[in-house]
Amino acid sequence: MSRKSKFTAEEALAYHHAPAPGKYEIVASKPMATQADLSLAYSPGVAIPVQAIADDPQAAYDYTTKGNMVAVISNGTAILGMGNLGALASKPVMEGKAVLFKRFADVNAIDILLDTEDPEEIINAVKLMGPTFGGVNLEDIKAPECFIIETRLKEIMDIPVFHDDQHGTAVICAAGLINALELSGKKIEDCRIVLNGAGAAGIACLELIKSMGALHDNCIMCDTKGVIWQGRTEGMNQWKSAHAARTDARTLEEAMVGADVFLGVSAKGAVTPEMVASMADNPVIFAMANPDPEITPEEAQAVRADAIVATGRSDYPNQVNNVLGFPYLFRGALDINARAINDEMKIACARALAGLAREDVPDEVAMAYGRKLSFGRDYIIPTPFDPRLIYTIPPAVAKAGMKTGVARRPIVDMDGYVQSLKARMDPTASILQSIHARAKQAQSRMIFAEGDDERVLRAAVAYQRGGYGQALIVGRDDDVRAKLEAEGLGDAVRELTVVNAGNTRHLGTYKDYLYARLQRHGHDQKDVHRLAARNRHVFAALMLAHGHGDALVTGATRKSAHVLGLINHVFDARAQDGAVGVTAVLHKGRIVLIADTLVHEWPSETDLADIATRAVSVARHLGLEPRVAFVSFSTFGYPVSERAEKMQLAPRILDERGVDFEYEGEMTVDVALNPKAAAHYPFSRLTGPANILVVPARHSASISVKLMQEMAGATVIGPILAGAPKPIQICSTGSTVSDILNMAVMASCEIV
């Protein structure tokens, strides 16, 4: 079981509040800069596509966002197990759902909250909004109203309508069940299945499993009043009655005797160890109640070592997570312009998920989860961050939709479709996920040098509570406590370790070490005392040098060049020592490394070759296949300039070294990054757009990074210090809490 992450109410609110309230924004996908642009975007140019759509409604999929737009609709009557808190209170959840659509399947989604509990009003509102969207995702609407609403909308709308609370859970449950029964050596038509929880998710699970071959009377549904049996009248409705079984069992305990499968979408503690002990050999237990399962895997396997257990939680193996289903179901349905998402498409999704879990797991996925993943009792369902999901599940869904006749635009070139799906993947998210998972595995003692800065303290708390390791704060106890209390994190004081140079027993050792390094560089004993005892950057570096921490993050309060100079009192991290600064720029699903952004002021051609090699090491640590471009204002010798000469010579040095990565230069940035511009130079050795840009000087690197950050809104991580003797990362003075945490994670991963 992985380490659990903790967060406070203040942290959750801060996440949703800054830098802007909410979790998404609308960005124009067309130029809007000139009068000509505006004339095309609105009047009079817009009249042309308007007429085209009036003549042929299907043209809306060609000229508008309809074909890649989903409405996430709720009235807040069943919020995440919190109950009926109203439409407005559900907005954070629905915004979260919208960004999950975008993150995992590149589907645009907008949350729409309907302030009514009247099913007819909801049905009418959604129906009237139909022309806007390519699909509708219903969410957190209580039963039985959710059944009425979904059924009617499916009847009257010609786009997919999908209640994820029902069918999302059902699809992932079915995928896991396929593999669990395979491992147990059982067939679904022979299994006795007990389901506890007769709400939306439970009923949908049973319906889908029956459509896959489970027999009606082999499936026993239970609710709070016990077994739903034929003839029962108390607490019944038409949806429960459809699943009433012929059985003598009247309680969950009785139903569990000899059962092969238990499916739980009910409440914590609903299943006892005694119930599990009474089940058949090799029982399958899906305890999916959230946040706490009906029975924990430890409790179940204590009495039945042969049990295969899944839950809804990420800190146990076999997580039944809806994000494995709904983004990809809609991706496949939208791409064939489907009229509906039918059972065949859901079953295709489940089978594709089950099949993916049986394939070899890529190293980067295993690395992201910090453990070996292979098909077996603890891995029956793929993990949510598996990059293969985007190009495995939608094609299966699309094929099922085409086969069953709901596709209005069948896909002719399926291989081309798979390639287009791969192009939709956002590598940055998976890279960051991998790095954070590796940091959790490393469990480094992280030295945060600037304990008097609120951002640093909040990042240190996030590091500790995020399960990455121990946070060591350089500062004064009273000052740290006061600042944490001011930030609403007073309870974190006892979790962190505060280290004060004024009372550490190691100060004498630190000063002796520092004096030995600096005595022939103009520093006397008093200078060394001031550095070791009063300068937090030097003190933190001395802690690291003596093994009193595993990694160091600093620089949030002073200029990076100044901080690097102080660190060089303790370590050899200068240009001549092989140190390099590499900054990762993340923007619109792309990641580009720019070097050198920290150490080399005006590198020679040999330095540039060294910088490229060091940047390649960073890229590989991040999971990138490196392609290096030496960039300049000239391309392959034109225009001629002595200022660009070294950018021509650096690749020749790499030629002589026989390095094992792609590189080319010199070239302008557009040739390095834009395939159309690169196509004019077919002799280029790069097989794709560069992801490492080696620039002529530190000032040009800094300008490039800050321009992307300020003008394009790019996410910037770094500069990442590579080539230092110990894991040290230096933040910028403008770093946010998230930036500082990311740099600590980089240091923890020992990206050196």
Side-chain angles (χ1 to χ4, degrees):
M1 185 175 67
S2 63
R3 299 170 181 86
K4 298 178 184 177
S5 298
K6 297 189 295 181
F7 59 85
T8 65
E10 290 80 6
E11 288 174 282
L13 292 174
Y15 174 86
H16 284 80
H17 175 68
K23 291 195 278 281
Y24 68 81
E25 62 183 1
I26 304 297
V27 178
S29 61
K30 299 291 191 294
M32 295 283 176
T34 68
Q35 181 60 46
D37 293 337
L38 297 180
S39 295
L40 288 168
Y42 196 55
S43 181
V46 76
I48 309 303
V50 165
Q51 189 59 55
I53 294 169
D55 295 339
D56 176 13
Q58 286 300 301
Y61 290 86
D62 297 317
Y63 302 122
T64 75
T65 61
K66 179 180 174 70
N68 194 41
M69 182 69 72
V70 168
V72 178
I73 292 177
S74 181
N75 66 350
T77 52
I79 303 173
L80 284 178
M82 298 174 72
N84 186 351
L85 300 180
L88 184 59
S90 75
K91 188 165 177 58
V93 181
M94 300 312 129
E95 285 187 1
K97 190 81 171 190
V99 296
L100 289 178
F101 268 109
K102 189 66 176 178
R103 158 65 181 88
F104 287 98
D106 195 24
V107 172
N108 296 321
I110 294 178
D111 61 300
I112 296 175
L113 312 174
L114 301 176
D115 193 12
T116 178
E117 295 188 22
D118 184 339
E120 290 302 321
E121 289 186 338
I122 294 174
I123 291 165
N124 194 46
V126 177
K127 172 191 171 185
L128 293 174
M129 289 187 292
T132 305
F133 301 101
V136 171
N137 184 103
L138 302 173
E139 193 80 15
D140 289 359
I141 301 173
K142 68 182 177 70
E145 288 87 344
C146 61
F147 303 123
I148 299 169
I149 292 165
E150 186 193 39
T151 301
R152 287 277 305 284
L153 288 175
K154 282 182 174 180
E155 292 171 354
I156 62 179
M157 298 187 76
D158 67 344
I159 57 175
V161 177
F162 186 84
H163 185 204
D164 188 51
D165 298 321
Q166 297 179 59
H167 309 298
T169 301
V171 167
I172 315 308
C173 175
L177 187 59
I178 290 169
N179 281 338
L181 294 180
E182 172 72 19
L183 291 167
S184 301
K186 299 178 180 180
K187 295 181 179 180
I188 194 168
E189 58 267 26
D190 299 327
C191 288
R192 287 194 59 240
I193 299 169
V194 175
L195 180 136
N196 194 48
I203 289 173
C205 284
L206 215 53
E207 287 177 346
L208 189 61
I209 288 167
K210 286 179 179 179
S211 69
M212 294 171 62
L215 301 181
H216 176 83
D217 284 325
N218 281 351
C219 298
I220 299 178
M221 177 182 284
C222 301
D223 61 11
T224 55
K225 299 184 184 302
V227 172
I228 295 172
W229 48 277
Q230 286 191 5
R232 185 181 122 173
T233 57
E234 185 182 9
M236 297 294 286
N237 58 40
Q238 67 187 78
W239 298 278
K240 291 181 183 181
S241 296
H243 297 284
R246 288 177 291 183
T247 176
D248 294 329
R250 293 295 181 265
T251 66
L252 175 62
E253 184 177 12
E254 292 173 359
M256 289 284 276
V257 177
D260 298 287
V261 176
F262 169 77
L263 305 177
V265 278
S266 51
K268 174 184 178 180
V271 174
T272 65
E274 292 75 19
M275 293 180 190
V276 172
S278 73
M279 295 179 72
D281 291 344
N282 295 306
V284 175
I285 300 167
F286 282 22
M288 299 177 286
N290 264 322
D292 297 301
E294 285 81 359
I295 187 168
T296 67
E298 296 97 332
E299 291 170 331
Q301 290 168 339
V303 294
R304 293 300 298 269
D306 58 341
I308 296 175
V309 186
T311 71
R313 288 178 41 158
S314 60
D315 54 349
Y316 288 117
N318 302 327
Q319 184 190 14
V320 179
N321 189 330
N322 284 20
V323 81
L324 289 165
F326 70 83
Y328 310 110
L329 269 165
F330 271 98
R331 179 76 276 154
L334 292 170
D335 290 339
I336 58 172
N337 194 350
R339 296 182 180 86
I341 293 175
N342 56 31
D343 279 352
E344 290 82 2
M345 294 162 78
K346 288 182 280 187
I347 293 171
C349 179
R351 287 180 174 154
L353 284 168
L356 188 60
R358 301 184 192 193
E359 296 180 9
D360 289 336
V361 179
D363 290 341
E364 63 267 27
V365 178
M367 186 183 298
Y369 284 85
R371 61 187 176 93
K372 175 74 174 172
L373 297 174
S374 60
F375 180 57
R377 290 173 174 266
D378 287 336
Y379 180 66
I380 58 173
I381 306 171
T383 55
F385 287 94
D386 193 321
R388 299 171 297 173
L389 289 163
I390 182 64
Y391 60 84
T392 300
I393 310 306
V397 172
K399 288 176 184 176
M402 291 187 291
K403 186 176 180 180
T404 54
V406 298
R408 282 177 287 212
R409 293 189 175 188
I411 296 169
V412 177
D413 180 6
M414 192 57 68
D415 290 338
Y417 176 53
V418 170
Q419 292 304 313
S420 72
L421 291 170
K422 289 181 178 180
R424 287 184 181 272
M425 289 190 298
D426 181 352
T428 60
S430 59
I431 287 170
L432 289 176
Q433 169 70 13
S434 174
I435 292 168
H436 281 250
R438 285 159 55 194
K440 287 186 178 182
Q441 191 176 24
Q443 288 296 295
S444 295
R445 295 169 298 161
M446 185 61 54
I447 304 168
F448 291 84
E450 299 152 307
D452 61 343
D453 186 272
E454 293 85 353
R455 295 167 300 158
V456 173
L457 290 176
R458 287 175 58 195
V461 172
Y463 182 87
Q464 180 97 20
R465 290 181 170 176
Y468 300 103
Q470 183 183 7
L472 308 176
I473 311 296
V474 177
R476 296 190 302 271
D477 291 86
D478 291 344
D479 187 38
V480 169
R481 181 179 294 105
K483 284 184 166 58
L484 285 172
E485 288 175 350
E487 293 294 313
L489 295 170
D491 61 332
V493 173
R494 57 181 175 271
E495 301 173 32
L496 306 175
T497 301
V498 180
V499 183
N500 188 342
N503 55 29
T504 178
R505 69 180 190 275
H506 300 298
L507 187 59
T509 303
Y510 291 173
K511 290 196 295 184
D512 291 343
Y513 176 87
L514 193 59
Y515 184 64
R517 278 184 60 86
L518 301 181
Q519 60 188 347
R520 293 184 180 274
H521 297 279
H523 290 73
D524 60 20
Q525 294 276 10
K526 290 183 178 179
D527 296 330
V528 166
H529 174 78
R530 280 192 292 269
L531 283 170
R534 299 178 187 176
N535 189 288
R536 56 198 169 183
H537 307 287
V538 175
F539 179 79
L542 286 165
M543 285 180 62
L544 182 62
H546 287 80
H548 299 146
D550 300 314
L552 166 65
V553 61
T554 186
T557 62
R558 298 296 298 271
K559 299 292 186 183
S560 57
H562 176 73
V563 173
L564 184 59
L566 292 169
I567 287 172
N568 272 310
H569 289 320
V570 182
F571 294 106
D572 295 323
R574 298 163 297 177
Q576 58 265 40
D577 303 314
V580 171
V582 181
T583 297
V585 178
L586 291 68
H587 184 58
K588 291 187 176 179
R590 296 180 67 176
I591 180 166
V592 175
L593 306 185
I594 299 177
D596 178 351
T597 51
L598 181 62
V599 182
H600 291 77
E601 185 71 32
W602 181 254
S604 67
E605 55 266 29
T606 302
D607 293 331
L608 290 167
D610 293 339
I611 289 168
T613 303
R614 188 68 71 181
V616 163
S617 176
V618 173
R620 285 176 171 159
H621 267 95
L622 297 178
L624 296 171
E625 186 58 38
R627 291 186 294 273
V628 177
F630 292 88
V631 292
S632 180
F633 62 88
S634 62
T635 301
F636 299 117
Y638 184 83
V640 176
S641 170
E642 64 179 30
R643 304 287 286 182
E645 184 179 7
K646 66 179 182 179
M647 308 308 289
Q648 298 177 17
L649 297 176
R652 298 177 192 175
I653 294 172
L654 293 180
D655 290 342
E656 295 171 2
R657 294 180 181 178
V659 296
D660 63 344
F661 55 85
E662 291 183 24
Y663 57 91
E664 188 58 281
E666 91 285 17
M667 61 180 69
T668 54
V669 170
D670 59 328
V671 175
L673 300 180
N674 189 324
K676 290 183 178 179
H680 295 295
Y681 305 94
F683 55 83
S684 173
R685 291 176 288 191
L686 297 182
T687 59
N691 50 24
I692 298 173
L693 303 182
V694 178
V695 298
R698 197 173 82 199
H699 66 268
S700 52
S702 177
I703 291 168
S704 301
V705 169
K706 293 187 183 300
L707 188 64
M708 282 294 297
Q709 189 173 28
E710 293 301 322
M711 294 296 292
T715 298
V716 171
I717 300 176
I720 301 164
L721 180 60
K726 291 274 190 174
I728 303 168
Q729 296 303 337
I730 302 175
C731 303
S732 67
T733 54
S735 294
T736 64
V737 174
S738 178
D739 295 332
I740 297 168
L741 177 60
N742 279 333
M743 294 305 287
V745 167
M746 292 283 183
S748 181
C749 290
E750 298 189 22
I751 298 179
V752 298

